Amino acid sequence: MNYKPKIFPIANDDLTIQILDLIEIASKFKLIKKGANEAVKNIRKGKVEFLILASDSNPIEIVLHLPLLCEDYSIPYIFINSKNSLGKACGINRGIVACSILESINIDLNNQIKCLKKRVE
């Protein structure tokens, strides 16, 4: 694994699997937004619960403004290793650089998001 100092925090393999499973569940409820631009819009609207970024984005600078925005709005975020696996979890056949999970009224999904937030923080 190639670690870059700009990419922090990065998920380990177990946490990555848990995150991708959560994204698949959230996508069935239509509670995800794909891409950096959608992430910025929804962060500013206050709708984002959790943000996942791809550490293999090329160039990485296209997503480096998102952690700063998340810190301003107190939104947890994490990097995972593969944009292709992030895209596959979202239900598309392309790699994506960012995925935001939106707020939900589903109790089970909220509990999983809270558990994930605790592991990330």
Side-chain angles (χ1 to χ4, degrees), residues 2-42:
N2 185 12
Y3 291 106
K4 300 175 187 173
K6 297 177 183 177
I7 301 171
F8 181 81
I10 191 157
N12 60 20
D13 292 338
D14 294 335
L15 187 57
T16 299
I17 291 169
Q18 186 179 2
I19 290 169
L20 295 175
D21 288 342
L22 180 64
I23 292 170
E24 287 177 9
I25 293 167
S27 68
K28 291 176 184 171
F29 288 106
K30 307 287 187 210
L31 292 172
I32 58 167
K33 294 292 180 180
K34 302 174 276 290
N37 290 337
E38 287 291 322
V40 170
K41 286 183 215 174
N42 287 293

Side-chain angles (χ1 to χ4, degrees), residues 3 13 20 25 33 40 42 44-45 54-55 60 63 66 68 75-76 78 83 86-88 91-92 99 106 111 120-121:
Y3 291 106
D13 292 338
L20 295 175
I25 293 167
K33 294 292 180 180
V40 170
N42 287 293
R44 290 193 174 144
K45 289 178 185 177
S55 65
I60 192 63
V63 295
L66 292 171
L68 298 173
I75 297 169
I78 195 161
K83 63 183 177 183
L86 187 58
K88 189 178 282 187
I92 57 175
C99 172
N106 186 315
N111 290 338
V120 169
E121 294 171 350

Side-chain angles (χ1 to χ4, degrees), residues 80-107:
I80 65 169
N81 289 324
S82 172
K83 63 183 177 183
N84 290 328
S85 62
L86 187 58
K88 189 178 282 187
C90 290
I92 57 175
N93 294 328
R94 295 183 54 133
I96 58 172
V97 296
C99 172
S100 48
I101 299 177
L102 304 180
E103 294 174 340
S104 169
I105 57 172
N106 186 315
I107 295 170

